[in-house]
Amino acid sequence: MVNSTQGSYFTFSAYSHSGPMKHVFFFIVLLLYMLIVFANLFLIVLISVTRSLHEPMYVFMCSLFVNELFCSMWLFPFLLVQILSDTHNISASFCFLQIFCVYSYGSIEYANLVIMAYDRYLAICFPLQYNTRMTTYRVVVLISLSWLFPFLGIIVVVSLIVPLQFCGNIINKVYCDNYSTVKLACSDTTIINIYGIMYASFIISCPSCVIFYTYMQILKVCFSGSKQTRQKAFSTCTPHLASLLNFSCGAFFEIIQSRFNMSSVPNMLRIFLSLYFLTCQPLFNPVMYGLNITKIRSTCRSLGLK
């Protein structure tokens, strides 16, 4: 029994089901990690060194890719070590750091997708005013807010978890998350529950309203606009919508399996669902944007890449 966070540790029970397959899982996770790092780093460098890609839309994409690397760089090395380890323990302090990284990544990802929806709204609905509305200063402010606000919000979450006393240390997952950790607390969790609900409501409802409004306006312009306008909207909005849908599905899987009893679901499926938005989204985004954005494809061809 763990009486306090100081000097305590948590144990991940989900790894015990890997058995003789752990080397196969290790190879799959390592390959996925290498693909994610290469794909995101390649597009970040490509956007950075190509002058024709120094436009707001590609700068926002770059911020998205940086966030994918931020997530992957702390998650995958930990998973690789845990898969091959005989004991699956984590110190309380590192567990809290994982919680900070998981929820920061999710919040920043959603914030970036909201900003990209707003950017497409201005580009399609106000093409002649786009350059005066989406200035360099506004781009910097939007990106700064998309990172700063989630960091501050999650710092508050972690600061409320740290003082808790825990009466258990078994986490039935492969990484630490807020809900699984707080469930183990034997001290009062009212404040963190209230804050968690308020933060989640704000970070989901407000951005969702922005996305819904922007796409309703884009649809109105597409229906009343020219064929060229519809083609532009389709080519630039399709990757964004696909990324938004993929991330939303992954986040939904995580919320469902955290909040409800999933004991009847096979353990491997539970692990896959809990890792989906942390592992698939970082690879999905660079592939989707790299293959579907014409200007990025053209730049790759000019470099001799097919």
PDB file of all heavy atoms in Angstrom, residues 145-157:
ATOM      1  N   LEU A 145      -0.497  30.923 -28.105  1.00  0.00           N
ATOM      2  CA  LEU A 145      -1.641  30.605 -27.261  1.00  0.00           C
ATOM      3  C   LEU A 145      -1.991  29.118 -27.311  1.00  0.00           C
ATOM      4  O   LEU A 145      -2.396  28.535 -26.293  1.00  0.00           O
ATOM      5  CB  LEU A 145      -2.858  31.434 -27.688  1.00  0.00           C
ATOM      6  CG  LEU A 145      -2.798  32.930 -27.383  1.00  0.00           C
ATOM      7  CD1 LEU A 145      -4.034  33.637 -27.938  1.00  0.00           C
ATOM      8  CD2 LEU A 145      -2.698  33.171 -25.878  1.00  0.00           C
ATOM      9  N   SER A 146      -1.834  28.509 -28.489  1.00  0.00           N
ATOM     10  CA  SER A 146      -2.165  27.092 -28.632  1.00  0.00           C
ATOM     11  C   SER A 146      -1.242  26.196 -27.811  1.00  0.00           C
ATOM     12  O   SER A 146      -1.584  25.054 -27.504  1.00  0.00           O
ATOM     13  CB  SER A 146      -2.116  26.673 -30.107  1.00  0.00           C
ATOM     14  OG  SER A 146      -0.784  26.629 -30.585  1.00  0.00           O
ATOM     15  N   TRP A 147      -0.060  26.708 -27.471  1.00  0.00           N
ATOM     16  CA  TRP A 147       0.866  25.955 -26.624  1.00  0.00           C
ATOM     17  C   TRP A 147       0.823  26.409 -25.173  1.00  0.00           C
ATOM     18  O   TRP A 147       0.861  25.576 -24.256  1.00  0.00           O
ATOM     19  CB  TRP A 147       2.292  26.105 -27.164  1.00  0.00           C
ATOM     20  CG  TRP A 147       2.564  25.283 -28.377  1.00  0.00           C
ATOM     21  CD1 TRP A 147       2.185  25.550 -29.662  1.00  0.00           C
ATOM     22  CD2 TRP A 147       3.257  24.037 -28.440  1.00  0.00           C
ATOM     23  NE1 TRP A 147       2.599  24.554 -30.518  1.00  0.00           N
ATOM     24  CE2 TRP A 147       3.267  23.620 -29.801  1.00  0.00           C
ATOM     25  CE3 TRP A 147       3.888  23.237 -27.480  1.00  0.00           C
ATOM     26  CZ2 TRP A 147       3.870  22.429 -30.210  1.00  0.00           C
ATOM     27  CZ3 TRP A 147       4.496  22.048 -27.894  1.00  0.00           C
ATOM     28  CH2 TRP A 147       4.475  21.658 -29.236  1.00  0.00           C
ATOM     29  N   LEU A 148       0.732  27.713 -24.960  1.00  0.00           N
ATOM     30  CA  LEU A 148       0.821  28.253 -23.599  1.00  0.00           C
ATOM     31  C   LEU A 148      -0.399  27.891 -22.759  1.00  0.00           C
ATOM     32  O   LEU A 148      -0.254  27.429 -21.611  1.00  0.00           O
ATOM     33  CB  LEU A 148       0.983  29.777 -23.659  1.00  0.00           C
ATOM     34  CG  LEU A 148       1.133  30.492 -22.321  1.00  0.00           C
ATOM     35  CD1 LEU A 148       2.366  29.995 -21.584  1.00  0.00           C
ATOM     36  CD2 LEU A 148       1.203  32.005 -22.519  1.00  0.00           C
ATOM     37  N   PHE A 149      -1.590  28.094 -23.297  1.00  0.00           N
ATOM     38  CA  PHE A 149      -2.800  27.824 -22.513  1.00  0.00           C
ATOM     39  C   PHE A 149      -2.895  26.366 -22.075  1.00  0.00           C
ATOM     40  O   PHE A 149      -3.166  26.089 -20.894  1.00  0.00           O
ATOM     41  CB  PHE A 149      -4.045  28.241 -23.301  1.00  0.00           C
ATOM     42  CG  PHE A 149      -5.333  27.973 -22.570  1.00  0.00           C
ATOM     43  CD1 PHE A 149      -5.749  28.807 -21.537  1.00  0.00           C
ATOM     44  CD2 PHE A 149      -6.112  26.875 -22.896  1.00  0.00           C
ATOM     45  CE1 PHE A 149      -6.927  28.557 -20.850  1.00  0.00           C
ATOM     46  CE2 PHE A 149      -7.292  26.613 -22.211  1.00  0.00           C
ATOM     47  CZ  PHE A 149      -7.706  27.459 -21.189  1.00  0.00           C
ATOM     48  N   PRO A 150      -2.702  25.376 -22.976  1.00  0.00           N
ATOM     49  CA  PRO A 150      -2.733  23.976 -22.515  1.00  0.00           C
ATOM     50  C   PRO A 150      -1.680  23.666 -21.455  1.00  0.00           C
ATOM     51  O   PRO A 150      -1.970  22.944 -20.486  1.00  0.00           O
ATOM     52  CB  PRO A 150      -2.467  23.182 -23.801  1.00  0.00           C
ATOM     53  CG  PRO A 150      -2.967  24.061 -24.891  1.00  0.00           C
ATOM     54  CD  PRO A 150      -2.617  25.452 -24.448  1.00  0.00           C
ATOM     55  N   PHE A 151      -0.465  24.201 -21.632  1.00  0.00           N
ATOM     56  CA  PHE A 151       0.579  23.959 -20.636  1.00  0.00           C
ATOM     57  C   PHE A 151       0.141  24.468 -19.262  1.00  0.00           C
ATOM     58  O   PHE A 151       0.268  23.761 -18.254  1.00  0.00           O
ATOM     59  CB  PHE A 151       1.883  24.642 -21.052  1.00  0.00           C
ATOM     60  CG  PHE A 151       2.736  23.821 -21.983  1.00  0.00           C
ATOM     61  CD1 PHE A 151       3.564  24.443 -22.898  1.00  0.00           C
ATOM     62  CD2 PHE A 151       2.714  22.439 -21.949  1.00  0.00           C
ATOM     63  CE1 PHE A 151       4.353  23.692 -23.770  1.00  0.00           C
ATOM     64  CE2 PHE A 151       3.493  21.680 -22.812  1.00  0.00           C
ATOM     65  CZ  PHE A 151       4.324  22.312 -23.723  1.00  0.00           C
ATOM     66  N   LEU A 152      -0.384  25.684 -19.210  1.00  0.00           N
ATOM     67  CA  LEU A 152      -0.813  26.254 -17.931  1.00  0.00           C
ATOM     68  C   LEU A 152      -1.976  25.460 -17.333  1.00  0.00           C
ATOM     69  O   LEU A 152      -2.015  25.206 -16.127  1.00  0.00           O
ATOM     70  CB  LEU A 152      -1.216  27.722 -18.126  1.00  0.00           C
ATOM     71  CG  LEU A 152      -0.093  28.690 -18.500  1.00  0.00           C
ATOM     72  CD1 LEU A 152      -0.638  30.092 -18.730  1.00  0.00           C
ATOM     73  CD2 LEU A 152       0.989  28.718 -17.430  1.00  0.00           C
ATOM     74  N   GLY A 153      -2.923  25.075 -18.195  1.00  0.00           N
ATOM     75  CA  GLY A 153      -4.081  24.318 -17.711  1.00  0.00           C
ATOM     76  C   GLY A 153      -3.691  22.974 -17.137  1.00  0.00           C
ATOM     77  O   GLY A 153      -4.219  22.547 -16.097  1.00  0.00           O
ATOM     78  N   ILE A 154      -2.764  22.271 -17.785  1.00  0.00           N
ATOM     79  CA  ILE A 154      -2.359  20.948 -17.314  1.00  0.00           C
ATOM     80  C   ILE A 154      -1.426  21.050 -16.113  1.00  0.00           C
ATOM     81  O   ILE A 154      -1.407  20.150 -15.257  1.00  0.00           O
ATOM     82  CB  ILE A 154      -1.694  20.152 -18.456  1.00  0.00           C
ATOM     83  CG1 ILE A 154      -2.647  20.054 -19.644  1.00  0.00           C
ATOM     84  CG2 ILE A 154      -1.325  18.756 -17.985  1.00  0.00           C
ATOM     85  CD1 ILE A 154      -4.014  19.469 -19.311  1.00  0.00           C
ATOM     86  N   ILE A 155      -0.663  22.132 -16.011  1.00  0.00           N
ATOM     87  CA  ILE A 155       0.164  22.343 -14.808  1.00  0.00           C
ATOM     88  C   ILE A 155      -0.726  22.402 -13.576  1.00  0.00           C
ATOM     89  O   ILE A 155      -0.392  21.852 -12.514  1.00  0.00           O
ATOM     90  CB  ILE A 155       1.005  23.631 -14.954  1.00  0.00           C
ATOM     91  CG1 ILE A 155       2.178  23.397 -15.908  1.00  0.00           C
ATOM     92  CG2 ILE A 155       1.541  24.092 -13.591  1.00  0.00           C
ATOM     93  CD1 ILE A 155       2.983  24.640 -16.220  1.00  0.00           C
ATOM     94  N   VAL A 156      -1.873  23.056 -13.700  1.00  0.00           N
ATOM     95  CA  VAL A 156      -2.820  23.112 -12.582  1.00  0.00           C
ATOM     96  C   VAL A 156      -3.320  21.715 -12.236  1.00  0.00           C
ATOM     97  O   VAL A 156      -3.418  21.342 -11.063  1.00  0.00           O
ATOM     98  CB  VAL A 156      -4.006  24.043 -12.915  1.00  0.00           C
ATOM     99  CG1 VAL A 156      -5.048  24.010 -11.802  1.00  0.00           C
ATOM    100  CG2 VAL A 156      -3.525  25.468 -13.144  1.00  0.00           C
ATOM    101  N   VAL A 157      -3.644  20.917 -13.269  1.00  0.00           N
ATOM    102  CA  VAL A 157      -4.110  19.542 -13.033  1.00  0.00           C
ATOM    103  C   VAL A 157      -3.073  18.749 -12.247  1.00  0.00           C
ATOM    104  O   VAL A 157      -3.385  18.103 -11.239  1.00  0.00           O
ATOM    105  CB  VAL A 157      -4.402  18.829 -14.377  1.00  0.00           C
ATOM    106  CG1 VAL A 157      -4.680  17.341 -14.149  1.00  0.00           C
ATOM    107  CG2 VAL A 157      -5.593  19.463 -15.070  1.00  0.00           C
TER     108      VAL A 157
END
